[in-house]
Amino acid sequence: MKAEIKILRRKSAFSDNYWQGIPFETTDENATVAYALNQMNRTKGLTDTEGREVELPIRWECSCLQKKCGACAMVINGRPRLACDTELREFRKKRKGNSGDQMGEIRLEPLHKFPVVADLIVDRSILFENLRIMQTWVNGSGKVAEKRSDQAYEASRCLQCGCCLEICPNFYPGGEFFGAAAFVPAARLLSTLSVEEQREVREQYEAHVYAGCGKSLACRDVCPAGIDVDHLLSSSNGIAVWRQHG
Amino acid sequence: MQRVNIIGAGLAGLSAAITLAENKIQSNLISLQPSERAQSVLAEGGINGALNTMGEEDAPKYHKEDTMRAGAYLADEEAVRGLTDEAPQIIRDLERLGVAFNTQKEEILLRNFGGQKKKRTAYARSSTGKIIMTALIDEARKYEAQGLISRYPHHAFESLVLSDETTERACRGALIRDTYTTRMHFFEGSVILAIGGMNGVFPELTTGTTANSGDALAQIFAQGVRLGNLEMIQYHPTTICISGKRCLVTEAARGEGGRLFVMRAGKPWYFMEEKYPEFKNLMPRDVVSREIYFVRKDPSCGEQVYLDMTGLSGEVWRKRLPDLRAELIHYLSIDPQTTPVPVEPGIHYFMGGIDVDRKHQTNIAGLYAAGECCDQYHGANRLGGNSMLGAIYGGRVAARTVAERVEQAADVYDGNEKKIKYEKIPETDRDFREASQQVIYEIRDILAAAMGIVRNAQGLRKAEERLAQLLQRDGLNERERNRIYLAQAMVASAISRRESRGAHYREDYPERDETFSGIMQAEIKQGEDIPIQITCRKAQRAEETV
Ligand SMILES: Cc1cc2nc3c(=O)[nH]c(=O)nc-3n(C[C@H](O)[C@H](O)[C@H](O)COP(=O)(O)OP(=O)(O)OC[C@H]3O[C@@H](n4cnc5c(N)ncnc54)[C@H](O)[C@@H]3O)c2cc1C
Ligand code: SF4
Ligand code: SF4
Ligand code: FES
């Protein structure tokens, strides 16, 4: 399997970016973008499509390699995705007479809504800042009632990857609206805390979620964890804004 | 007042930071990546504790006995007693923090796990680690807002700063590199290491994360920190190969009724059930992996072992193992509800690491370690469900030990303050170079060949020779040399243990030998002929009081 992987590279936050196309070949039919990046970084004397030596390492973040940690989020062919959950074969060219071995172009860019650190690494600290403002923690007891267990479980699954914020028309860093990356974790607290204990989270929720969300649910379509964003949003709105407990 | 420096923000690091905060002690929580990316989020099957909610008359002492037996009596019994006694409380604390454990009639359900006679493993479907981590991260955030915890993600541990060698060496702090700005900082104060298992020593071959590169462990070893139990590497019996790594099929699959078989004379042979009628498929992991190794070598059997989960009910798949089924369909295009899954053993856990005492102190004053990076609790073989427990409990114990020694914060934020200003930490300059991928993979291949499920003197000696040759190579940088020392210590520990016990099986010494009933400790003594020294510390047995 052959592919040309084009990467929007940048040496540091202070330098200019440029596209670099790198030919990549593997016999692994299940190879992912993450695998390709690791293999390229291991290749001594790697050259790009123009025959120039590629400056290594290509910087990117990864950890679990099995779509459970959110580290490797990036923009792949225009869509926010996890590199370890994007198989190269998805990009197989469907032209007649093609042996099927050549993939179409694969473009990798850092997420756009966060400051770039280097190459594909962005600084996502704003995600965690926002959660601090949301006060997503337990005061008193957060024991989950059985009927709320599904919701608490679902809301606990957020990877803090930031894909939802990339696609969200209403989110920008430093803005008052915090997006799914904040309302999903908040839904955990809203589903478990007693009415009295949730007061803080509820207030923050109204200010930083309810007031800004257009409910287009673009976030649901890109969430790599497949979180039921739709359901969490409506039930949290019910609890936080309309005080529907039950 | 100095803050306590915690390196690593997985379960062990978070648990230490929260415990310190509860004692009004400030800490820096330093990690290469944010907690959400730590290996702890991968844990699936569950966490052990004798909650006794299943009407099986369970008690901590049985949990202790199972842990000691599975670990082939290498673990410190008193330490294990502390672990298993506190386990039910730890699970209750997690419940209070909002962990959505599977419950029935509002009471926590427990499932069977390998090597344990009773149902003792609490779980949140098949993503227990992730769900627990979310709750602990939120709890740490609460203390962060109060100024008790300062988080430093994207900060890499580079080396310890030790006081000048006199009679006893002490830890003065750590050099930490901000991987975003590439600046080096000196964090002064005592250090708790919670850096996870050394998966990065075996890239692509483990179920864990290679972000735990092993560099930190290699570095502190070179600086004189004593390690222990390095030969004890857990091969999990059921893993599958996915792009760039091994992926775990949780033991919960067997806990819920999954059965291992191999084809023999045209029929499936459920070998574990025939060989071990009591525990069947739920023998401890070392035994199951070894049996898989042997049946695959048996000429009358096929080479592929399968995990048959077709007998599990729809209810189990829906409520208890939904993530596992989705994963197998995604990666293998196999629906385990209808088709057996081909599996293989793979490296999963490191029982060895930084050698600590019952209070999680290392051989260097002011330096502590907890979680998978240390060698406490699991002996020669860890029980499934005991490592999340060990990480949380170990973090607590290390923090309590530190708390006995440091002052409480005089004044902390009252909670109204939303933005925390990070203290300025003095910068220092120090050149550093990463280990090259070539050397990392060379070391990996040498170790993987010699330190498999079945070992012998010949293979280990060969590894020893190859590592010695590698060390002579020109142009190695410091990190590469440190990695070689660590690898040498692993091999030397395996050579020294001339017996078979737990995860360490020697075909040339297939029996257990009580001469070796202790942890193999490894230490570098600079300036000596053989700088890496291995000694066997006798296992500490507690007087039986129950
Ligand atoms: C797939 C899988 C499933 C598992 N299932 C279970 C289970 O069901 N039950 C169970 O009990 N256990 C399970 N385990 C084991 C368990 O998850 C781990 O042993 C445990 O979570 C380890 O926690 P820790 O805090 O010690 O380390 P980790 O969670 O690995 O955290 C290590 C931390 O150290 C940081 N770090 C590493 N190196 C550096 C450095 N140089 N500088 C700065 N920071 C650094 C990392 O960024 C991270 O924050 C499983 C493991 C895997 C891989
Ligand atoms: S529903 Fe739309 S506006 Fe609301 S968070 Fe999702 S993408 Fe943003
Ligand atoms: S809601 Fe989904 S897309 Fe958004 S941060 Fe969480 S896991 Fe990522
Ligand atoms: S590396 Fe963890 S999600 Fe991709």
Side-chain angles (χ1 to χ4, degrees):
Chain A
M1 181 156 66
K2 292 184 195 137
E4 183 190 330
I5 301 189
K6 274 186 117 177
I7 304 174
L8 188 60
R9 301 207 57 183
R10 189 162 170 171
K11 203 171 163 60
S12 79
F14 310 104
S15 43
D16 293 333
N17 57 14
Y18 61 96
W19 283 100
Q20 183 164 43
I22 305 169
F24 178 72
E25 210 179 323
T26 176
T27 51
D28 182 354
E29 262 299 303
N30 299 323
T32 59
V33 168
Y35 180 77
L37 284 166
N38 273 340
Q39 293 303 313
M40 292 191 294
N41 275 337
R42 276 183 67 194
T43 310
K44 250 194 174 156
L46 182 74
T47 50
D48 66 11
T49 41
E50 273 148 48
R52 285 173 312 208
E53 185 160 341
V54 177
E55 200 175 317
L56 295 180
I58 300 157
R59 291 191 64 195
W60 69 297
E61 275 190 78
C62 77
S63 175
C64 71
L65 293 178
Q66 53 181 100
K67 62 190 176 97
K68 288 190 176 174
C69 80
C72 64
M74 58 182 72
V75 177
I76 303 177
N77 287 9
R79 223 176 112 86
R81 302 184 62 173
L82 299 177
C84 69
D85 191 29
T86 306
E87 288 174 340
L88 300 182
R89 62 171 177 218
E90 265 184 48
F91 304 95
R92 185 160 268 140
K93 280 187 178 163
K94 291 199 187 80
R95 261 187 289 124
K96 255 195 227 144
N98 191 298
S99 67
D101 209 29
Q102 180 66 46
M103 306 302 118
E105 184 181 271
I106 302 172
R107 274 172 294 119
L108 312 181
E109 296 166 70
L111 294 171
H112 298 108
K113 291 211 177 158
F114 310 94
V116 176
V117 173
D119 293 334
L120 301 165
I121 300 181
V122 291
D123 184 348
R124 286 174 274 187
S125 345
I126 187 78
L127 287 166
F128 309 112
E129 290 284 319
N130 287 350
L131 288 178
R132 200 158 60 203
I133 297 171
M134 290 287 286
Q135 308 196 23
T136 53
W137 52 72
V138 170
N139 287 308
S141 173
K143 186 174 181 316
V144 184
E146 211 157 284
K147 63 178 177 187
R148 293 281 188 192
S149 176
D150 285 352
Q151 175 158 345
Y153 178 88
E154 191 66 6
S156 302
R157 289 176 54 234
C158 175
L159 307 176
Q160 292 296 300
C161 66
C163 288
C164 52
L165 304 183
E166 178 74 15
I167 204 98
C168 174
N170 295 359
F171 173 86
Y172 61 93
E176 283 297 310
F177 177 61
F178 293 173
F183 73 66
V184 169
R188 180 176 93 86
L189 285 313
L190 290 171
S191 68
T192 59
L193 297 185
S194 71
V195 181
E196 191 34 48
E197 283 162 353
Q198 345 168 297
R199 198 169 47 86
E200 297 277 2
V201 190
R202 222 164 47 210
E203 281 171 13
Q204 303 302 330
Y205 185 92
E206 279 197 57
H208 300 294
V209 178
Y210 186 74
C213 179
K215 306 193 182 56
S216 60
L217 292 177
C219 50
R220 180 191 55 194
D221 302 334
V222 297
C223 176
I227 291 172
D228 192 352
V229 169
D230 194 355
H231 176 78
L232 292 180
L233 184 62
S234 57
S235 94
S236 294
N237 283 346
I239 295 170
V241 187
W242 311 113
R243 311 290 146 85
Q244 293 161 347
H245 293 273
Chain B
M1 195 212 81
Q2 275 170 3
R3 286 166 175 265
V4 178
N5 300 301
I6 301 167
I7 323 272
L11 284 173
L14 283 168
S15 165
I18 291 167
T19 306
L20 286 171
E22 286 166 350
N23 286 287
K24 298 272 180 280
I25 295 167
Q26 293 176 303
S27 65
N28 296 317
L29 188 55
I30 300 156
S31 59
L32 211 46
Q33 293 178 315
S35 296
E36 285 78 1
R37 326 272 183 246
Q39 174 172 307
S40 291
V41 303
L42 296 184
E44 298 174 356
I47 175 169
N48 296 337
L51 282 179
N52 192 29
T53 59
M54 307 299 281
E56 292 184 326
E57 293 184 23
D58 198 10
K61 69 171 177 176
Y62 301 122
H63 184 187
K64 189 202 79 184
E65 280 165 19
D66 286 346
T67 303
M68 290 302 295
R69 183 171 12 86
Y73 301 99
L74 275 197
D76 178 330
E77 189 169 357
E78 210 34 58
V80 173
R81 186 199 307 281
L83 173 85
T84 51
D85 278 353
E86 195 162 320
Q89 187 56 47
I90 286 177
I91 297 176
R92 292 295 178 205
D93 290 343
L94 294 171
E95 184 182 37
R96 186 181 52 76
L97 293 178
V99 172
F101 286 116
N102 278 47
T103 56
Q104 195 168 45
K105 298 208 174 86
E106 307 293 343
E107 187 50 284
I108 292 179
L109 286 170
L110 303 172
R111 65 169 38 132
N112 280 119
F113 242 45
Q116 305 194 68
K117 292 196 170 146
K118 296 174 192 279
K119 289 195 182 66
R120 192 181 287 144
T121 308
Y123 58 100
R125 301 187 195 182
S126 35
S127 297
T128 315
K130 174 67 188 168
I131 309 303
I132 293 179
M133 280 293 282
T134 299
L136 290 185
I137 292 168
D138 279 348
E139 183 69 357
R141 186 171 289 121
K142 176 165 94 189
Y143 291 116
E144 195 185 1
Q146 294 173 19
L148 282 161
I149 297 176
S150 293
R151 298 205 306 157
Y152 293 87
H154 61 82
H155 280 64
F157 170 86
E158 293 301 325
S159 65
L160 294 170
V161 179
L162 301 174
S163 63
D164 296 336
E165 222 160 314
T166 43
T167 40
E168 194 194 17
R169 277 188 306 166
C171 174
R172 287 180 45 224
L175 286 185
I176 304 289
R177 184 172 47 91
D178 180 338
T179 63
Y180 283 4
T181 64
T182 72
R183 284 198 199 106
M184 197 79 84
H185 302 276
F186 172 46
F187 281 65
E188 199 175 2
S190 44
V191 172
I192 301 177
L193 293 164
I195 50 178
M198 49 180 134
N199 291 272
V201 174
F202 296 91
E204 297 186 43
L205 299 184
T206 83
T207 57
T209 162
T210 42
N212 291 346
S213 66
D215 283 326
L217 190 70
Q219 169 66 30
I220 61 165
F221 181 50
Q223 288 188 278
V225 175
R226 188 170 60 226
L227 309 183
N229 219 15
L230 294 176
E231 72 280 22
M232 297 300 178
I233 299 174
Q234 176 164 84
Y235 284 77
H236 195 288
T238 59
T239 72
I240 58 170
C241 183
I242 65 171
S243 183
K245 77 172 295 192
R246 302 223 54 99
C247 176
L248 179 74
V249 177
T250 171
E251 190 165 283
R254 280 171 289 132
E256 299 288 356
R259 308 166 69 194
L260 288 165
F261 74 84
V262 64
M263 292 306 285
R264 191 176 62 175
K267 284 200 307 249
W269 174 35
Y270 293 90
F271 53 95
M272 288 305 297
E273 295 169 24
E274 191 174 308
K275 292 185 174 184
Y276 301 93
E278 193 193 358
F279 279 100
K280 302 193 172 79
N281 295 284
L282 285 175
M283 283 298 285
R285 291 172 181 174
D286 55 334
V287 180
V288 185
S289 287
R290 210 151 43 236
E291 290 299 343
I292 292 178
Y293 178 94
F294 289 133
V295 294
R296 290 173 71 186
K297 292 250 158 180
D298 183 340
S300 71
C301 298
E303 278 194 8
Q304 183 64 59
V305 166
Y306 295 88
L307 180 59
D308 179 359
M309 296 172 270
T310 57
L312 274 57
S313 70
E315 163 91 359
V316 166
W317 285 116
R318 240 184 352 269
K319 292 245 170 90
R320 302 187 189 174
L321 297 170
D323 312 325
L324 173 64
R325 177 161 175 247
E327 208 160 81
L328 291 169
I329 293 175
H330 175 82
Y331 287 120
L332 300 179
S333 307
I334 293 177
D335 182 350
Q337 209 168 349
T338 56
T339 314
V341 176
V343 291
E344 248 183 287
I347 297 176
H348 180 60
Y349 188 87
F350 299 89
M351 275 76 74
I354 303 160
D355 192 42
V356 294
D357 64 11
R358 288 173 187 163
K359 298 184 128 198
H360 283 260
Q361 304 176 103
T362 67
N363 64 324
I364 291 188
L367 181 68
Y368 311 82
E372 190 171 337
C373 69
C374 77
D375 66 355
Q376 195 59 278
Y377 308 119
H378 311 298
N381 171 60
R382 166 182 76 95
L383 280 179
N386 262 1
S387 74
M388 284 204 266
L389 175 65
I392 296 175
Y393 176 71
R396 287 183 174 192
V397 175
R400 286 174 196 153
T401 310
V402 176
E404 290 167 9
R405 289 168 176 59
V406 304
E407 315 156 41
Q408 295 195 338
D411 62 321
V412 290
Y413 290 92
D414 61 7
N416 295 323
E417 194 80 18
K418 295 234 170 79
K419 285 249 185 297
I420 310 301
K421 281 173 230 72
Y422 288 143
E423 282 170 61
K424 253 217 155 341
I425 306 229
E427 270 178 40
T428 58
D429 285 317
R430 187 167 168 278
D431 199 24
F432 102 100
R433 272 167 62 206
E434 299 276 6
S436 74
Q437 293 292 314
Q438 282 74 13
V439 173
I440 292 175
Y441 275 78
E442 263 178 83
I443 297 172
R444 175 197 84 163
D445 292 342
I446 294 171
L447 287 178
M451 308 268 291
I453 296 172
V454 173
R455 306 160 177 185
N456 59 44
Q458 205 191 351
L460 290 166
R461 289 288 175 203
K462 195 161 154 212
E464 195 180 37
E465 246 168 67
R466 289 175 63 195
L467 289 168
Q469 280 165 8
L470 186 55
L471 196 57
Q472 298 308 314
R473 185 176 296 171
D474 286 337
L476 291 175
N477 66 35
E478 191 185 334
R479 287 208 167 174
E480 291 165 345
R481 266 194 306 274
N482 291 346
R483 277 182 169 262
I484 299 170
Y485 295 141
L486 174 62
Q488 287 182 317
M490 294 168 80
V491 172
S493 305
I495 289 175
S496 303
R497 188 173 287 288
R498 292 184 303 282
E499 64 153 358
S500 290
R501 185 189 294 264
H504 177 74
Y505 185 84
R506 292 270 305 249
E507 54 189 2
D508 43 354
Y509 297 97
E511 301 300 325
R512 189 181 293 185
D513 176 348
E514 288 314 314
T515 331
F516 300 104
S517 63
I519 299 271
M520 289 293 170
Q521 298 176 314
E523 207 172 332
I524 289 193
K525 294 260 159 71
Q526 299 295 359
E528 310 232 350
D529 281 353
I530 307 165
I532 295 175
Q533 300 194 348
I534 307 291
T535 41
C536 184
R537 180 192 60 197
K538 275 279 164 208
Q540 290 163 309
R541 296 280 169 81
E543 292 307 312
E544 198 54 67
T545 50
V546 275

